[in-house]
């Protein structure tokens, strides 16, 4: 149901929607939903993180590096590096993070 809720919410908002899918003391899994053109603003990951694209296409950007990620692509996000994500199309992504 989490993904369905996110898909409904991104239809009526101007920013990405992020919801927790699962977590415990060792990790957390978040679902991110984007409409085309939405941007997850600049931020840093404070622990080991991986972005996986379930649907759509996004651009992961850090410093001078831009990586286009399409359905089923995965990208390791470096710890403490400023980055942002922009949706090239309506997209659903998984973000998995280790807990420190």
């Amino acid at each position: 149901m989490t993904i369905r809720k996110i898909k409904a919410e991104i239809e009526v908002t101007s920013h990405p929607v992020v919801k927790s899918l699962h977590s415990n003391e060792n990790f957390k899994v978040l679902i991110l939903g984007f409409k085309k053109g939405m941007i997850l603003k600049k931020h840093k990951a404070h622990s080991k993180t991986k972005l996986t694209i379930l649907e759509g296409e996004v651009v992961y950007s850090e410093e001078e590096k831009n990586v286009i990620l399409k359905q089923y692509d995965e990208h390791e996000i470096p710890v403490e590096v400023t980055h942002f994500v922009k949706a090239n199309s309506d997209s659903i992504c998984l973000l998995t993070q280790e807990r420190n």
Side-chain angles (χ1 to χ4, degrees):
M1 296 299 280
T2 304
I3 293 173
R4 285 191 178 110
K5 287 180 184 176
I6 288 173
K7 284 186 167 194
E9 284 187 38
I10 61 173
E11 293 299 327
V12 296
T13 188
S14 60
H15 54 82
V17 176
V18 180
K19 295 202 179 288
S20 176
L21 181 66
H22 185 70
S23 66
N24 67 23
E25 64 277 355
N26 299 313
F27 71 91
K28 65 180 172 179
V29 179
L30 302 173
I31 305 277
L32 293 78
F34 297 87
K35 290 296 285 179
K36 181 179 180 178
M38 285 182 173
I39 297 173
L40 185 61
K41 65 182 181 177
K42 289 183 179 181
H43 62 282
K44 293 180 181 181
H46 302 294
S47 61
K48 189 173 177 183
T49 303
K50 182 187 279 190
L51 178 66
T52 303
I53 312 310
L54 299 180
E55 295 178 6
E57 179 180 302
V58 302
V59 178
Y60 168 88
S61 298
E62 66 180 46
E63 299 167 356
E64 300 298 317
K65 176 181 170 182
N66 295 309
V67 180
I68 295 174
L69 300 167
K70 298 180 180 183
Q71 188 175 34
Y72 309 132
D73 287 344
E74 301 172 358
H75 185 76
E76 296 283 341
I77 298 173
V79 176
E80 300 301 334
V81 172
T82 301
H83 63 279
F84 68 95
V85 178
K86 180 179 179 183
N88 284 346
S89 65
D90 294 358
S91 302
I92 299 291
C93 307
L94 276 179
L95 192 71
T96 54
Q97 294 182 314
E98 290 183 6
R99 293 201 189 258
N100 294 332

